[in-house]
Amino acid sequence: MDPLSTLWETFFDWDSMREALPDMLTVGLPNTLILAVSAALLGSLLGMLLAIAGISRSRWLRWPARVYTDIFRGLPAAATILLIGVGLAPLGMEVWGPNPYPLGILALSLIAAAYIGEIFRAGIQSVEAAQLEGARALGFSWGEAMRLVIVPQGVRRVLPAWVNQLIALIKDSSLVYFLGLLASQRELFRIGQDYAANTGNQSALLLAGLFYLALTVPLTHAVNWIDRRLRQGRAVTVDPDDDGGLAVAGQVALPPETAAPQREDQR
Amino acid sequence: MTTTTTGTTTSVSLGVRDVHLAFGANRVLRGAELDVARGATACVIGPSGSGKSTLLRTINRLIEPDSGDVLLDGRSVLRDDPDALRQRVGMVFQQFNLFPHMTVLRNITLALRKIRKLSEDEAMQVARTQLDLVGLAAKADSRPAHLSGGQQQRVAIARALALQPQVMLFDEATSALDPELVKGVLGVMADLSAAGMTMVVVTHEMGFAREVADMVAFMDHGVVLEAGEPAAIFESPEHPRLRRFLAQVL
């Protein structure tokens, strides 16, 4: 057999792929999605708390947020997953029994929170101070102004970066296999790896890779689409019918007897 | 008209007493005094950096004064809940400060629903009435970015009026507008003044100050140097600095 066809069979052996496909679809894909989606939700929630703490006026909120972010952004994901998954295993035992899956989600969430926190913080801080002033002037408290006016605008501005982080999460979920998953808990990568190890043929692993691409590539394009929409949404078009309000001033808004005094040109 | 523009609330008198404020070494307000009678319109004029906008912000306590007092109907507001105070004192900004992620209608209903706890329907009705008064009923469902500056500022005025304030503050409300859009906004402000709203208007529009204001206050270096009826201020200014300022702007 010539080297080229050996290479071909190592990666593109259809029979190996067909064999792995059912497990990929019914076990691997759901698990990858559960891991990524729950970590995205928990990570975004924690990230928002970190972002708010990070811009707080109190150093007792700001500093812990800073230290947290430095640690979880600075450690390799694999190290964090092992440290959390193994280190907290006794604690997890009490809560979930001998099941590494929740700790895997927790570890992924803690990592994602560090990045998402920075993304949200940048977005919130990019909102003009005048927006906060405008909201406060209407009688909203600082918290209400943040929740109703500032945070929604800030998050909107960083949606592309946030989706990028979801892509990273989908990929990082492949690291949870370190923690020793049950057969039914295996995600895409682990299933691919198992088949590859059993057969000595890498085709199942390549199939896992294709699954990841099927998840991440559409998201990448979603990022671009959102980005484009946000840019277009910010464009300003001036209303051609605008008369500067002259039609109403002194006429619609007031009965004749109280009409404003006639003014000379203000300019 | 008073009932439609200012709702059932009545205007109040406004007093600013010896207000001082420093940002670090920068003493922005150095004993500012201002008296605005109930239902009167005061225009505050003066050079850039004289503390006009800061004075306005101490009235609704967006900035807390270091010392001095702010009185509504003779009563100090410095010990009130600032959020409650700001519902009594409406403010309009140079840059409109509309919320760009909401429609015009929702910009107005937000505070009505979240603070006044009106139902969605009640809030919408109030908002539409206010929009109608500034001639923008047709723009209810537009985003602010799709409106001209003049339209945005009129929405901002409607948003403030929807809360039925007792005093309205205008911080250079027309300074960011293209010249052809200024008159419409000034017209709405003049209507409001004629309707009996107590107003403090920081402005560079000397024509408006002369024609609409009941009282004009000239600020320089953090104090009100001279105040009086528009005719007195513009025709027979006493303070040399006011004379110099008027010579430059008129």
Side-chain angles (χ1 to χ4, degrees):
Chain A
M1 212 190 285
D2 65 289
L4 211 61
S5 63
T6 311
L7 204 62
W8 178 262
E9 275 173 25
T10 304
F11 291 109
F12 298 99
D13 180 34
W14 304 118
D15 288 336
S16 299
M17 287 195 188
R18 203 172 301 129
E19 202 185 327
L21 188 60
D23 273 354
M24 290 270 179
L25 275 173
T26 58
V27 180
L29 184 61
N31 277 318
T32 292
L33 286 176
I34 290 171
L35 288 166
V37 170
S38 18
L41 292 175
L42 189 56
S44 298
L45 190 73
L46 289 173
M48 183 54 73
L49 295 177
L50 281 171
I52 300 282
I55 56 170
S56 161
R57 265 166 293 183
S58 158
R59 71 177 67 154
W60 300 109
L61 289 174
R62 228 167 41 232
W63 288 359
R66 189 74 259 153
V67 170
Y68 177 97
T69 304
D70 283 349
I71 291 176
F72 281 89
R73 220 169 37 157
L75 284 173
T80 307
I81 289 169
L82 265 183
L83 282 170
I84 301 277
V86 177
L88 295 186
L91 202 69
M93 190 74 133
E94 304 276 320
V95 189
W96 300 293
N99 183 357
Y101 202 80
L103 284 176
I105 290 176
L106 180 66
L108 287 174
S109 306
L110 293 178
I111 297 165
Y115 289 93
I116 293 174
E118 286 294 280
I119 291 169
F120 283 168
R121 186 175 63 81
I124 291 168
Q125 285 183 322
S126 78
V127 179
E128 298 75 17
Q131 286 288 309
L132 184 63
E133 202 174 39
R136 297 303 308 267
L138 289 171
F140 287 112
S141 67
W142 187 84
E144 288 168 330
M146 289 301 282
R147 186 165 51 83
L148 296 168
V149 175
I150 308 299
V151 170
Q153 288 184 61
V155 168
R156 214 163 288 216
R157 291 180 190 189
V158 293
L159 272 184
W162 180 73
V163 176
N164 272 334
Q165 206 49 50
L166 301 191
I167 292 171
L169 252 179
I170 290 173
K171 297 187 290 178
D172 281 354
S173 68
S174 63
L175 295 170
V176 169
Y177 83 95
F178 287 149
L179 301 180
L181 298 168
L182 301 176
S184 63
Q185 293 174 329
R186 293 174 303 164
E187 34 64 55
L188 288 168
F189 171 73
R190 179 70 210 212
I191 288 175
Q193 201 207 20
D194 280 355
Y195 276 97
N198 287 342
T199 59
N201 184 295
Q202 302 302 311
S203 301
L205 204 49
L206 188 99
L207 182 64
L210 292 176
F211 268 94
Y212 281 109
L213 289 177
L215 294 174
T216 54
V217 171
L219 276 178
T220 318
H221 287 278
V223 170
N224 297 336
W225 183 78
I226 293 170
D227 202 30
R228 221 171 26 244
R229 263 202 57 148
L230 287 176
R231 275 176 215 290
Q232 284 165 358
R234 223 167 281 155
V236 177
T237 53
V238 170
D239 178 6
D241 299 334
D242 185 29
D243 63 353
L246 287 174
V248 292
Q251 290 161 41
V252 181
L254 286 179
E257 67 268 21
T258 51
Q262 285 301 305
R263 293 177 304 280
E264 62 199 43
D265 194 343
Q266 310 291 350
R267 287 263 152 180
Chain B
M1 186 54 210
T2 308
T3 47
T4 43
T5 309
T6 61
T8 51
T9 55
T10 47
S11 299
V12 298
S13 67
L14 168 73
V16 175
R17 297 278 176 272
D18 193 29
V19 164
H20 288 259
L21 177 75
F23 296 124
N26 181 14
R27 291 168 60 213
V28 184
L29 297 176
R30 313 180 183 201
E33 301 266 350
L34 189 67
D35 269 296
V36 187
R38 171 179 311 185
T41 294
C43 279
V44 181
I45 61 173
S48 298
S50 57
K52 306 184 297 290
S53 294
T54 309
L55 177 70
L56 220 51
R57 280 165 174 74
T58 59
I59 294 174
N60 67 352
R61 293 172 61 194
L62 282 177
I63 302 174
E64 297 283 355
D66 293 338
S67 66
D69 209 349
V70 176
L71 312 170
L72 290 189
D73 254 357
R75 210 184 121 265
S76 173
V77 298
L78 291 186
R79 272 173 298 279
D80 291 357
D81 170 22
D83 296 333
L85 169 67
R86 291 184 202 121
Q87 293 175 52
R88 300 171 61 196
V89 182
M91 186 159 182
V92 173
F93 298 87
Q94 184 176 355
Q95 297 293 343
F96 332 129
N97 298 10
L98 293 179
F99 308 138
H101 60 305
M102 298 177 185
T103 63
V104 162
L105 194 68
R106 192 151 154 65
N107 260 278
I108 304 176
T109 58
L110 187 69
L112 292 169
R113 289 174 53 224
K114 302 290 180 181
I115 299 177
R116 286 293 156 78
K117 308 291 182 196
L118 296 190
S119 72
E120 180 92 42
D121 285 348
E122 290 169 319
M124 298 241 280
Q125 204 181 337
V126 173
R128 287 191 188 281
T129 306
Q130 288 297 343
L131 270 181
D132 202 29
L133 287 174
V134 297
L136 290 174
K139 299 292 177 188
D141 298 318
S142 304
R143 291 291 172 105
H146 293 106
L147 269 55
S148 74
Q151 291 174 328
Q152 290 190 53
Q153 193 60 294
R154 283 183 281 145
V155 171
I157 294 172
R159 180 173 77 173
L161 289 179
L163 292 168
Q164 302 181 340
Q166 299 169 322
V167 177
M168 280 289 287
L169 311 176
F170 292 85
D171 184 20
E172 301 196 17
T174 57
S175 296
L177 300 180
D178 291 335
E180 73 272 21
L181 304 179
V182 167
K183 276 179 98 176
V185 171
L186 290 181
V188 170
M189 290 164 63
D191 295 347
L192 192 60
S193 170
M197 173 66 77
T198 306
M199 299 179 16
V200 183
V201 181
V202 169
T203 187
H204 293 298
E205 297 288 342
M206 294 304 146
F208 181 86
R210 197 197 290 260
E211 301 295 329
V212 178
D214 300 292
M215 190 262 276
V216 176
F218 170 68
M219 270 191 90
D220 198 17
H221 292 106
V223 290
V224 175
L225 275 186
E226 193 168 334
E229 293 188 354
I233 293 290
F234 288 109
E235 309 312 333
S236 49
E238 281 171 22
H239 203 286
R241 269 193 281 180
L242 172 56
R243 273 190 228 134
R244 215 176 314 134
F245 174 74
L246 290 176
Q248 280 165 352
V249 299
L250 288 180

